[in-house]
Amino acid sequence: QVQLVESGGGLVQAGDSLRLSCAASGRTFSSRAMGWFRQAPGKEREFVAGISWSGATTNYADSVKGRFTISRDNANNMVYLQMNSLKPEDTAVYYCGATNRIAPLWNGNAYDYWGQGTQVTVSS
């Protein structure tokens, strides 16, 4: 089993940057694909970014391409989401997920473990 804890959220202004962290504990962290999802009030949870177990493959939602970067540090059981040029529409609760399944990174149903979420608020 894997436990995930997100951190790094907060209140920032449009155009600012923020880095989210996901700390993982439990077994076989390095063998799991990881992803970031977000959910805004009144909306469904949506895919943001994903990364394969090795870090060789990444995938991003069109809305964040060129602005967000997902990375991982398996030696320290950490996953990061660097968010640049933040926009008010990025405001949401961001969740870190983990999966051992062979599936597209954008498929939220494939993720078995989730963190508690961290709030990101971008003001105009």
Side-chain angles (χ1 to χ4, degrees):
Q1 176 127 337
V2 174
Q3 293 78 47
L4 306 172
V5 179
E6 304 96 333
S7 62
L11 174 63
V12 298
Q13 296 182 351
D16 285 351
S17 296
L18 204 60
R19 188 179 75 160
L20 304 184
S21 298
C22 176
S25 61
R27 41 195 260 252
T28 64
F29 167 77
S30 62
S31 69
R32 299 176 181 271
M34 305 293 294
W36 287 97
F37 292 73
R38 67 188 183 187
Q39 187 167 24
K43 296 185 177 181
E44 297 181 351
R45 186 174 298 190
E46 66 175 353
F47 170 75
V48 176
I51 187 167
S52 64
W53 69 269
S54 68
T57 301
T58 58
N59 189 223
Y60 298 92
D62 288 341
S63 60
V64 306
K65 281 183 178 177
R67 299 189 298 121
F68 291 9
T69 302
I70 188 171
S71 62
R72 67 190 300 163
D73 180 357
N74 289 343
N76 292 294
N77 295 337
M78 298 291 293
V79 180
Y80 304 99
L81 184 67
Q82 178 66 45
M83 305 184 294
N84 297 328
S85 301
L86 283 163
K87 305 174 181 179
E89 50 262 45
D90 294 320
T91 296
V93 177
Y94 284 71
Y95 298 90
C96 176
T99 179
N100 255 149
R101 306 182 191 186
I102 300 175
L105 293 173
W106 49 260
N107 184 5
N109 292 329
Y111 289 79
D112 301 306
Y113 306 99
W114 298 93
Q116 83 290 344
T118 185
Q119 177 71 47
V120 172
T121 302
V122 184
S123 66
S124 59

